[in-house]
Amino acid sequence: LPISLFKMTKLEIARELAERKDMPLADAIKAVDGVIDIMKDAFKNGRNVYLRGLGSFVIKERKEKAGRN
């Protein structure tokens, strides 16, 4: 199956969290948004994020590529 079939949106993650942890959807949305905000702040400050059991999130600098139209 194509990888695109395995994508999840923030809302889908929040819905799954709400269901699994028996919590209101609004609280789950706040929790997901909070985690994403923390990760964004870490990246802005040059820090990487390591979540054991999930993966490593790092900012990589790449050389500029020439575009084509």
Side-chain angles (χ1 to χ4, degrees):
L1 294 172
I3 289 177
S4 62
L5 295 178
F6 298 106
K7 292 181 182 177
M8 287 183 79
T9 65
K10 279 196 321 184
L11 182 57
E12 290 170 330
I13 293 170
R15 283 184 179 145
E16 188 73 24
L17 176 63
E19 184 179 312
R20 288 184 184 200
K21 298 300 179 185
D22 193 32
M23 62 192 298
L25 179 59
D27 291 347
I29 290 171
K30 288 178 186 176
V32 171
D33 284 340
V35 169
I36 291 171
D37 287 343
I38 290 168
M39 291 175 71
K40 282 185 195 177
D41 288 344
F43 297 143
K44 285 179 190 174
N45 292 316
R47 298 175 65 197
N48 297 325
V49 177
Y50 301 99
L51 300 176
R52 185 168 297 195
L54 180 64
S56 301
F57 300 86
V58 298
I59 300 292
K60 291 186 177 182
E61 296 289 329
R62 297 191 179 183
K63 292 190 298 184
E64 201 173 276
K65 291 185 177 181
R68 289 177 35 182
N69 284 333

